[in-house]
Short mmCIF file of all heavy atoms in Angstrom, two decimals:
data_model
loop_
_atom_site.label_atom_id
_atom_site.label_comp_id
_atom_site.label_asym_id
_atom_site.label_seq_id
_atom_site.Cartn_x
_atom_site.Cartn_y
_atom_site.Cartn_z
N LEU A 292 4.25 -6.56 -21.49
CA LEU A 292 5.47 -6.93 -22.13
C LEU A 292 5.43 -8.55 -22.19
O LEU A 292 5.02 -9.24 -21.36
CB LEU A 292 6.57 -6.47 -21.33
CG LEU A 292 6.85 -4.93 -21.31
CD1 LEU A 292 7.76 -4.54 -20.27
CD2 LEU A 292 7.25 -4.44 -22.64
N HIS A 293 6.23 -9.12 -23.19
CA HIS A 293 6.33 -10.48 -23.30
C HIS A 293 6.94 -11.19 -22.12
O HIS A 293 7.89 -10.50 -21.47
CB HIS A 293 7.18 -10.89 -24.65
CG HIS A 293 7.02 -12.28 -24.93
ND1 HIS A 293 7.94 -13.15 -24.52
CD2 HIS A 293 6.12 -12.95 -25.71
CE1 HIS A 293 7.65 -14.33 -24.95
NE2 HIS A 293 6.52 -14.25 -25.69
N ARG A 294 6.63 -12.29 -21.86
CA ARG A 294 7.08 -12.97 -20.59
C ARG A 294 8.58 -13.07 -20.61
O ARG A 294 9.27 -12.72 -19.44
CB ARG A 294 6.46 -14.40 -20.48
CG ARG A 294 6.88 -15.18 -19.28
CD ARG A 294 6.67 -16.64 -19.42
NE ARG A 294 7.65 -17.30 -20.27
CZ ARG A 294 7.62 -18.61 -20.71
NH1 ARG A 294 6.58 -19.36 -20.15
NH2 ARG A 294 8.46 -19.07 -21.47
N ASP A 295 9.20 -13.50 -21.72
CA ASP A 295 10.72 -13.64 -21.84
C ASP A 295 11.31 -12.26 -21.52
O ASP A 295 12.35 -12.20 -20.81
CB ASP A 295 11.08 -14.23 -23.15
CG ASP A 295 10.62 -15.50 -23.36
OD1 ASP A 295 10.28 -16.25 -22.39
OD2 ASP A 295 10.61 -16.13 -24.50
N TYR A 296 10.69 -11.21 -22.03
CA TYR A 296 11.30 -9.87 -21.84
C TYR A 296 11.25 -9.60 -20.33
O TYR A 296 12.16 -9.03 -19.74
CB TYR A 296 10.57 -8.87 -22.67
CG TYR A 296 11.16 -7.50 -22.57
CD1 TYR A 296 12.07 -7.04 -23.58
CD2 TYR A 296 10.89 -6.52 -21.67
CE1 TYR A 296 12.63 -5.79 -23.66
CE2 TYR A 296 11.32 -5.28 -21.64
CZ TYR A 296 12.34 -4.88 -22.55
OH TYR A 296 12.84 -3.67 -22.56
N ARG A 297 10.11 -9.75 -19.66
CA ARG A 297 9.86 -9.45 -18.21
C ARG A 297 10.88 -10.24 -17.43
O ARG A 297 11.49 -9.71 -16.49
CB ARG A 297 8.52 -9.68 -17.89
CG ARG A 297 7.43 -8.85 -18.38
CD ARG A 297 6.12 -9.01 -17.61
NE ARG A 297 5.74 -10.36 -17.22
CZ ARG A 297 4.92 -11.04 -18.06
NH1 ARG A 297 4.43 -10.58 -19.13
NH2 ARG A 297 4.71 -12.33 -17.70
N GLU A 298 11.02 -11.51 -17.74
CA GLU A 298 11.97 -12.35 -16.84
C GLU A 298 13.38 -11.84 -17.04
O GLU A 298 14.10 -11.88 -16.23
CB GLU A 298 11.75 -13.77 -17.28
CG GLU A 298 10.32 -14.30 -16.82
CD GLU A 298 10.10 -15.83 -17.15
OE1 GLU A 298 10.96 -16.42 -17.94
OE2 GLU A 298 9.10 -16.43 -16.68
N TRP A 299 13.73 -11.44 -18.29
CA TRP A 299 15.11 -10.95 -18.51
C TRP A 299 15.25 -9.58 -17.61
O TRP A 299 16.39 -9.51 -17.06
CB TRP A 299 15.25 -10.70 -20.03
CG TRP A 299 16.58 -9.93 -20.27
CD1 TRP A 299 17.84 -10.52 -20.39
CD2 TRP A 299 16.78 -8.57 -20.47
NE1 TRP A 299 18.76 -9.65 -20.64
CE2 TRP A 299 18.24 -8.39 -20.71
CE3 TRP A 299 15.91 -7.43 -20.51
CZ2 TRP A 299 18.61 -7.10 -20.95
CZ3 TRP A 299 16.41 -6.27 -20.74
CH2 TRP A 299 17.86 -6.08 -20.89
N VAL A 300 14.24 -8.79 -17.62
CA VAL A 300 14.35 -7.40 -16.87
C VAL A 300 14.56 -7.83 -15.43
O VAL A 300 15.41 -7.29 -14.71
CB VAL A 300 13.15 -6.68 -17.05
CG1 VAL A 300 13.02 -5.59 -16.11
CG2 VAL A 300 13.11 -6.07 -18.50
N GLU A 301 13.67 -8.74 -14.79
CA GLU A 301 13.70 -9.11 -13.46
C GLU A 301 15.16 -9.72 -13.10
O GLU A 301 15.81 -9.31 -12.05
CB GLU A 301 12.72 -10.25 -13.15
CG GLU A 301 11.32 -9.64 -13.16
CD GLU A 301 10.24 -10.74 -13.36
OE1 GLU A 301 10.65 -11.94 -13.02
OE2 GLU A 301 9.08 -10.57 -13.90
N ARG A 302 15.68 -10.54 -13.94
CA ARG A 302 17.05 -11.15 -13.72
C ARG A 302 18.05 -9.96 -13.89
O ARG A 302 19.00 -10.00 -12.98
CB ARG A 302 17.26 -12.17 -14.84
CG ARG A 302 18.60 -13.00 -14.52
CD ARG A 302 18.58 -14.19 -15.50
NE ARG A 302 18.40 -13.83 -16.99
CZ ARG A 302 17.24 -14.18 -17.59
NH1 ARG A 302 16.19 -14.76 -16.98
NH2 ARG A 302 17.19 -13.83 -18.86
N GLU A 303 18.07 -9.14 -14.83
CA GLU A 303 19.04 -8.07 -15.09
C GLU A 303 19.02 -7.13 -13.85
O GLU A 303 20.16 -6.73 -13.32
CB GLU A 303 18.86 -7.35 -16.35
CG GLU A 303 19.11 -8.15 -17.59
CD GLU A 303 20.66 -8.33 -17.76
OE1 GLU A 303 21.47 -7.53 -17.77
OE2 GLU A 303 21.14 -9.55 -17.79
N PHE A 304 17.85 -6.75 -13.42
CA PHE A 304 17.75 -5.78 -12.29
C PHE A 304 18.28 -6.41 -10.98
O PHE A 304 18.89 -5.75 -10.21
CB PHE A 304 16.38 -5.23 -12.20
CG PHE A 304 16.27 -4.05 -11.32
CD1 PHE A 304 16.82 -2.83 -11.56
CD2 PHE A 304 15.38 -4.10 -10.15
CE1 PHE A 304 16.59 -1.70 -10.76
CE2 PHE A 304 15.23 -2.98 -9.38
CZ PHE A 304 15.98 -1.82 -9.65
N ARG A 305 17.82 -7.65 -10.78
CA ARG A 305 18.42 -8.40 -9.61
C ARG A 305 19.90 -8.39 -9.56
O ARG A 305 20.45 -8.34 -8.43
CB ARG A 305 17.82 -9.69 -9.49
CG ARG A 305 17.95 -10.51 -8.29
CD ARG A 305 17.03 -11.61 -8.19
NE ARG A 305 17.01 -12.59 -9.38
CZ ARG A 305 15.97 -12.79 -10.18
NH1 ARG A 305 14.94 -12.25 -9.95
NH2 ARG A 305 16.15 -13.66 -11.22
N GLN A 306 20.59 -8.62 -10.64
CA GLN A 306 21.95 -8.84 -10.67
C GLN A 306 22.74 -7.54 -10.77
O GLN A 306 23.94 -7.56 -10.51
CB GLN A 306 22.29 -9.91 -11.88
CG GLN A 306 21.79 -11.11 -11.68
CD GLN A 306 21.94 -12.06 -12.93
OE1 GLN A 306 22.42 -11.55 -13.91
NE2 GLN A 306 21.67 -13.37 -12.80
N ALA A 307 22.16 -6.44 -11.17
CA ALA A 307 22.82 -5.16 -11.52
C ALA A 307 23.19 -4.60 -10.28
O ALA A 307 22.55 -4.63 -9.15
CB ALA A 307 21.93 -4.29 -12.22
N LYS A 308 24.42 -4.01 -10.20
CA LYS A 308 24.91 -3.28 -9.12
C LYS A 308 24.26 -1.70 -9.10
O LYS A 308 24.07 -1.14 -8.00
CB LYS A 308 26.35 -3.11 -9.14
CG LYS A 308 27.05 -4.50 -8.88
CD LYS A 308 28.60 -4.29 -8.84
CE LYS A 308 29.31 -5.64 -8.55
NZ LYS A 308 30.63 -5.52 -8.48
N ARG A 309 24.06 -1.22 -10.28
CA ARG A 309 23.41 0.07 -10.36
C ARG A 309 22.43 -0.09 -11.60
O ARG A 309 22.83 -0.47 -12.59
CB ARG A 309 24.51 1.21 -10.72
CG ARG A 309 25.28 1.51 -9.56
CD ARG A 309 26.46 2.59 -9.86
NE ARG A 309 25.88 3.79 -10.34
CZ ARG A 309 25.38 4.73 -9.62
NH1 ARG A 309 25.32 4.62 -8.28
NH2 ARG A 309 24.90 5.88 -10.03
N ALA A 310 21.21 0.41 -11.41
CA ALA A 310 20.27 0.41 -12.34
C ALA A 310 18.88 1.11 -11.95
O ALA A 310 18.79 1.44 -10.69
CB ALA A 310 19.80 -1.05 -12.74
N VAL A 311 18.22 1.37 -13.00
CA VAL A 311 16.81 1.93 -12.82
C VAL A 311 15.74 0.99 -13.45
O VAL A 311 16.03 0.72 -14.56
CB VAL A 311 16.64 3.33 -13.36
CG1 VAL A 311 15.15 3.85 -13.27
CG2 VAL A 311 17.54 4.32 -12.61
N CYS A 312 14.71 0.64 -12.73
CA CYS A 312 13.67 -0.12 -13.43
C CYS A 312 12.41 0.70 -13.39
O CYS A 312 11.93 1.09 -12.21
CB CYS A 312 13.45 -1.38 -12.76
SG CYS A 312 12.26 -2.52 -13.61
N VAL A 313 11.86 0.90 -14.45
CA VAL A 313 10.45 1.74 -14.70
C VAL A 313 9.35 0.58 -14.68
O VAL A 313 9.44 -0.28 -15.58
CB VAL A 313 10.55 2.66 -15.91
CG1 VAL A 313 9.28 3.44 -15.87
CG2 VAL A 313 11.70 3.47 -15.96
N ALA A 314 8.37 0.82 -13.85
CA ALA A 314 7.36 -0.30 -13.75
C ALA A 314 5.96 0.22 -13.49
O ALA A 314 5.80 1.27 -12.87
CB ALA A 314 7.78 -1.29 -12.76
N THR A 315 5.02 -0.40 -13.92
CA THR A 315 3.60 -0.24 -13.44
C THR A 315 3.42 -0.96 -12.18
O THR A 315 4.35 -1.47 -11.48
CB THR A 315 2.56 -0.58 -14.45
OG1 THR A 315 2.79 -1.89 -14.79
CG2 THR A 315 2.75 0.35 -15.72
N SER A 316 2.08 -1.29 -11.90
CA SER A 316 1.75 -2.08 -10.52
C SER A 316 2.29 -3.49 -10.71
O SER A 316 2.28 -4.22 -9.62
CB SER A 316 0.28 -1.98 -10.28
OG SER A 316 -0.31 -2.63 -11.45
N THR A 317 2.84 -3.96 -11.75
CA THR A 317 3.18 -5.46 -11.87
C THR A 317 4.31 -5.68 -10.92
O THR A 317 4.53 -6.93 -10.31
CB THR A 317 3.81 -5.79 -13.23
OG1 THR A 317 4.86 -4.87 -13.54
CG2 THR A 317 2.68 -5.72 -14.27
N LEU A 318 5.19 -4.69 -10.51
CA LEU A 318 6.22 -4.96 -9.51
C LEU A 318 5.74 -4.49 -8.04
O LEU A 318 6.65 -4.41 -7.19
CB LEU A 318 7.57 -4.25 -9.95
CG LEU A 318 8.19 -4.89 -11.15
CD1 LEU A 318 9.55 -4.28 -11.35
CD2 LEU A 318 8.58 -6.38 -10.77
N GLU A 319 4.57 -4.21 -7.86
CA GLU A 319 3.93 -4.02 -6.60
C GLU A 319 4.07 -5.21 -5.78
O GLU A 319 4.23 -5.22 -4.46
CB GLU A 319 2.57 -3.47 -6.55
CG GLU A 319 2.49 -1.97 -7.11
CD GLU A 319 1.11 -1.47 -6.96
OE1 GLU A 319 0.19 -2.26 -6.43
OE2 GLU A 319 0.75 -0.41 -7.45
N LEU A 320 3.86 -6.36 -6.31
CA LEU A 320 3.87 -7.65 -5.68
C LEU A 320 5.17 -8.17 -5.35
O LEU A 320 6.13 -7.66 -5.78
CB LEU A 320 3.02 -8.62 -6.55
CG LEU A 320 1.58 -8.21 -6.97
CD1 LEU A 320 0.84 -9.10 -7.83
CD2 LEU A 320 0.82 -7.76 -5.77
N GLY A 321 5.28 -9.37 -4.80
CA GLY A 321 6.49 -9.76 -4.06
C GLY A 321 7.46 -10.44 -4.99
O GLY A 321 8.14 -11.34 -4.62
N ILE A 322 7.58 -10.03 -6.39
CA ILE A 322 8.60 -10.66 -7.21
C ILE A 322 9.94 -10.27 -6.75
O ILE A 322 10.27 -9.17 -6.39
CB ILE A 322 8.39 -10.07 -8.73
CG1 ILE A 322 7.00 -10.57 -9.15
CG2 ILE A 322 9.49 -10.55 -9.57
CD1 ILE A 322 6.52 -9.95 -10.49
N ASP A 323 10.86 -11.24 -6.70
CA ASP A 323 12.26 -10.98 -6.25
C ASP A 323 12.98 -10.17 -7.30
O ASP A 323 13.39 -10.78 -8.32
CB ASP A 323 12.86 -12.36 -5.92
CG ASP A 323 14.30 -12.25 -5.30
OD1 ASP A 323 14.67 -10.95 -4.99
OD2 ASP A 323 15.11 -13.11 -5.21
N ILE A 324 13.35 -8.96 -7.06
CA ILE A 324 14.24 -8.17 -7.91
C ILE A 324 15.35 -7.64 -7.14
O ILE A 324 16.07 -6.68 -7.58
CB ILE A 324 13.39 -6.97 -8.55
CG1 ILE A 324 12.63 -6.08 -7.42
CG2 ILE A 324 12.50 -7.51 -9.51
CD1 ILE A 324 12.04 -4.93 -7.94
N GLY A 325 15.75 -8.37 -6.12
CA GLY A 325 16.86 -7.97 -5.26
C GLY A 325 16.60 -6.81 -4.37
O GLY A 325 15.36 -6.27 -4.37
N ASP A 326 17.60 -6.33 -3.71
CA ASP A 326 17.46 -5.24 -2.83
C ASP A 326 17.32 -3.90 -3.55
O ASP A 326 18.21 -3.60 -4.48
CB ASP A 326 18.49 -5.13 -1.74
CG ASP A 326 18.23 -4.14 -0.57
OD1 ASP A 326 16.98 -4.19 -0.15
OD2 ASP A 326 18.99 -3.55 -0.04
N VAL A 327 16.38 -3.12 -3.28
CA VAL A 327 16.10 -1.75 -3.95
C VAL A 327 16.45 -0.67 -2.99
O VAL A 327 15.97 -0.68 -1.86
CB VAL A 327 14.61 -1.83 -4.51
CG1 VAL A 327 14.46 -0.33 -5.16
CG2 VAL A 327 14.47 -2.81 -5.43
N ASP A 328 17.29 0.22 -3.37
CA ASP A 328 17.74 1.25 -2.48
C ASP A 328 16.70 2.36 -2.15
O ASP A 328 16.56 2.85 -1.10
CB ASP A 328 19.02 1.85 -2.95
CG ASP A 328 20.21 0.86 -2.99
OD1 ASP A 328 20.64 0.41 -2.02
OD2 ASP A 328 20.59 0.64 -4.22
#
Side-chain angles (χ1 to χ4, degrees):
L292 292 170
H293 191 268
R294 181 196 75 181
D295 292 344
Y296 186 94
R297 292 197 313 269
E298 291 179 353
W299 174 82
V300 166
E301 293 159 20
R302 186 168 57 252
E303 288 292 305
F304 193 61
R305 187 165 52 243
Q306 296 173 354
K308 292 183 178 179
R309 289 175 58 80
V311 173
C312 183
V313 186
T315 57
S316 58
T317 55
L318 287 183
E319 287 180 8
L320 307 180
I322 298 169
D323 182 14
I324 51 172
D326 194 37
V327 177
D328 299 294

